[in-house]
């Protein structure tokens, strides 16, 4: 997209930067990646202190089991997802809708399933030493 922000370096382009969710979500949904694979993402910032990513998922799209490198927050911008947390032999499922935030204190295996077309902001704090 010609209007998509250049996030090649994934570093802030100065002391402060602003983003408009509706524009980012529109860009992500219009790109071939979203149409072909059912999901798309844009990393807004990635440095030693944090990573901030906007993700969009088609209805019923899944992000299979994976680990985050550290603590994270997931803030729902649109839609509804099920967040599956795997602890030992137990699976804890949490439904998240627009306006909700999930905080994952420890890097644990988890997965996502989009109940409807969804968009969320993922913030991961820096890596552990």
């Amino acid at each position: 997209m010609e209007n998509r922000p250049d996030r090649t370096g994934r570093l802030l382009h100065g002391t402060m930067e602003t983003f408009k969710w509706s524009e980012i979500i529109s860009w992500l949904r219009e790109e071939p990646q979203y149409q072909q694979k059912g999901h798309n993402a844009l990393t807004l910032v990635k440095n030693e202190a944090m990573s901030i990513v906007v993700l969009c998922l088609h209805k019923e799209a899944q992000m299979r089991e994976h680990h985050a490198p550290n603590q994270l927050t997931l803030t729902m911008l649109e839609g509804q997802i099920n967040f599956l947390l795997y602890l030992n032999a137990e699976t804890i499922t949490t439904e998240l809708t627009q306006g909700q935030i999930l905080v994952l204190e420890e890097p644990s295996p988890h997965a996502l399933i989009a109940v409807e077309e969804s968009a969320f902001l993922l913030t991961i704090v820096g890596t552990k030493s």
Side-chain angles (χ1 to χ4, degrees):
M1 303 261 77
E2 63 186 57
N3 293 327
R4 187 179 195 198
D6 173 19
R7 304 306 305 154
T8 307
R10 295 180 183 88
L11 299 172
L12 292 176
H13 292 136
T15 303
M16 180 175 67
E17 197 162 344
T18 62
F19 302 96
K20 191 170 183 180
W21 300 132
S22 59
E23 288 178 359
I24 293 171
I25 291 168
S26 291
W27 294 325
L28 292 173
R29 288 183 176 154
E30 290 172 8
E31 291 182 335
Q33 169 85 8
Y34 185 73
Q35 302 305 321
Q36 296 165 2
K37 298 193 177 191
H39 59 84
N40 199 4
L42 176 63
T43 300
L44 301 176
V45 176
K46 185 172 185 173
N47 58 42
E48 294 172 0
M50 68 180 162
S51 293
I52 301 174
V53 183
V54 177
L55 294 101
C56 292
L57 300 172
H58 272 283
K59 180 179 180 178
E60 299 178 359
Q62 297 183 26
M63 295 181 73
R64 300 197 188 281
E65 183 178 337
H66 59 282
H67 288 77
N70 208 347
Q71 299 171 328
L72 65 82
T73 64
L74 188 155
T75 306
M76 290 299 297
L77 303 173
E78 293 182 358
Q80 179 182 340
I81 65 169
N82 286 330
F83 185 93
L84 291 78
L85 180 64
Y86 304 112
L87 292 176
N88 303 318
E90 186 180 4
T91 301
I92 301 168
T93 302
T94 302
E95 182 179 282
L96 299 168
T97 58
Q98 182 176 343
Q100 288 187 290
I101 186 170
L102 174 134
V103 178
L104 187 58
E105 187 69 23
E106 293 294 326
S108 302
H110 58 276
L112 305 170
I113 301 170
V115 176
E116 54 189 56
E117 189 170 58
S118 300
F120 58 91
L121 177 70
L122 177 66
T123 302
I124 303 172
V125 298
T127 59
K128 288 186 177 180
S129 355

